[in-house]
Amino acid sequence: MSDLALEELSAVAAIYCGEDECEVLEVSETEGITFRIQTSSKGPLGADILLKLLFHLPIGYPSSLPNISVSSEQLTRTQCAAVKGRLLEEARRHFSQPMVHELILWIEQNLKHAVEQAETSVCSGESTLSTDGPEEDGVWIALLRLDHMRAKGKYVKTVEKWCADLKLTGRLMFMGKMILILLQGDRASIKEYLLLQKTSKVDVDSSGKKCKEKMISVLSETKAQAAHRRFQAFEVKEYSTLGELQNEFEAVGLAELFSEFVLARLK
């Protein structure tokens, strides 16, 4: 990772040094830097809106743009997506320069306008949910495998909440010691889910201390085809036989995915 990224993280952490204002989630020579900033700004009605901004600075940053996730209990998903879109627009204006602090300052000053713009776009029928190119439009499918869950109850509830917030459908599937997550939805939401999965303290270690998920494998991530059918919701299911699990995949036209990425690993 670049010295510029480390210097910027140090500067941002010094500025946002209050309780829960800055949480460093990962500093890795191979994965880059991930951290969460909590700040607030005035919304359309003048009320303070608490924002959580998740930044992932890739290895090439600032020559590569940061990945950004926006969440707030006081904003809708459409509004959060609009705020994220505006932040990415601002990031492009600062390309090749350290930009995180500038982006935080910008949204603190312009949140009201960004949210109002989202509401105007919805009323006029414009979409604010995607900033991806045409090749990433439509429904995507991701198949993930987890090694284990120690705090199963809490872990399951967290996965359900993420999928509900991101409007993802699919299955969390248990069969014996096998744990699979099958996600369906737009690619931006799947990317955001993966970022949350890898950077949040969602489980506990052998001593009972909260920890991030380090034993996750992305088996497949691909655009849905015409033969694939959608799950209507995200559900948690347990299967007693391999046949039951296979039927779940076949019910939505994903028999090939099961054969290639599940069955092949059991042989």
Side-chain angles (χ1 to χ4, degrees):
M1 75 190 74
S2 71
D3 290 338
L4 285 175
L6 290 171
E7 290 172 4
E8 184 166 30
L9 172 61
S10 178
V12 169
I15 295 168
Y16 295 89
C17 58
E19 185 177 1
D20 297 328
E21 283 188 338
C22 180
E23 181 184 6
V24 179
L25 301 171
E26 182 175 41
V27 178
S28 167
E29 291 290 343
T30 57
E31 300 296 331
I33 301 171
T34 303
F35 58 95
R36 182 182 289 110
I37 296 294
Q38 184 168 277
T39 186
S40 62
S41 180
K42 295 293 184 183
L45 300 178
D48 285 332
I49 303 294
L50 187 64
L51 285 175
K52 293 182 179 180
L53 308 173
L54 185 67
F55 291 94
H56 171 239
L57 309 185
I59 296 300
Y61 175 86
S63 296
S64 299
L65 291 175
N67 296 313
I68 304 171
S69 173
V70 178
S71 62
S72 173
E73 293 183 357
Q74 296 156 277
L75 298 178
T76 66
R77 179 172 175 259
T78 298
Q79 291 169 332
C80 287
V83 172
K84 174 182 174 180
R86 291 303 305 276
L87 282 170
L88 290 174
E89 289 177 13
E90 287 299 310
R92 294 185 186 99
R93 295 190 178 99
H94 296 278
F95 182 71
S96 79
Q97 303 172 25
M99 66 185 78
V100 172
H101 189 217
E102 293 294 331
L103 296 179
I104 298 170
L105 289 177
W106 186 89
I107 200 57
E108 287 175 346
Q109 297 166 5
N110 294 277
L111 177 63
K112 179 175 182 284
H113 176 68
V115 172
E116 288 175 341
Q117 184 183 51
E119 293 170 348
T120 301
S121 297
V122 169
C123 291
S124 63
E126 298 175 11
S127 174
T128 61
L129 290 180
S130 177
T131 57
D132 295 322
E135 72 278 4
E136 296 198 352
D137 289 344
V139 177
W140 280 67
I141 299 170
L143 180 63
L144 319 176
R145 182 171 184 174
L146 300 179
D147 183 73
H148 61 270
M149 286 184 183
R150 285 193 173 95
K152 184 176 178 181
K154 177 180 178 295
Y155 204 132
V156 168
K157 288 181 179 179
T158 301
V159 170
E160 289 179 314
K161 183 180 186 304
W162 287 342
C163 289
D165 291 345
L166 295 169
K167 300 296 189 291
L168 293 171
T169 61
R171 296 287 186 269
L172 171 53
M173 301 177 281
F174 296 91
M175 194 200 78
K177 294 184 178 181
M178 180 183 288
I179 307 171
L180 299 171
I181 301 176
L182 183 61
L183 301 173
Q184 292 180 327
D186 65 75
R187 195 174 193 193
S189 293
I190 289 177
K191 285 181 178 179
E192 193 161 337
Y193 176 93
L194 291 172
L195 188 60
L196 288 168
Q197 180 80 67
K198 293 177 180 178
T199 59
S200 301
K201 292 183 178 180
V202 68
D203 205 2
V204 296
D205 60 21
S206 56
S207 65
K209 184 179 179 181
K210 290 181 179 179
C211 65
K212 291 182 287 186
E213 179 58 75
K214 297 183 180 295
M215 302 292 287
I216 183 173
S217 303
V218 180
L219 302 181
S220 176
E221 186 179 0
T222 185
K223 191 170 184 179
Q225 304 301 312
H228 299 153
R229 295 183 293 280
R230 290 292 302 271
F231 287 114
Q232 296 304 305
F234 185 84
E235 298 179 14
V236 180
K237 290 195 171 184
E238 301 208 16
Y239 307 85
S240 56
T241 68
L242 195 60
E244 290 179 1
L245 184 62
Q246 184 173 358
N247 289 339
E248 190 75 83
F249 280 80
E250 291 178 347
V252 286
L254 297 175
E256 291 183 3
L257 192 66
F258 177 83
S259 298
E260 184 175 358
F261 294 103
V262 180
L263 195 58
R265 283 167 169 74
L266 296 176
K267 291 181 179 180

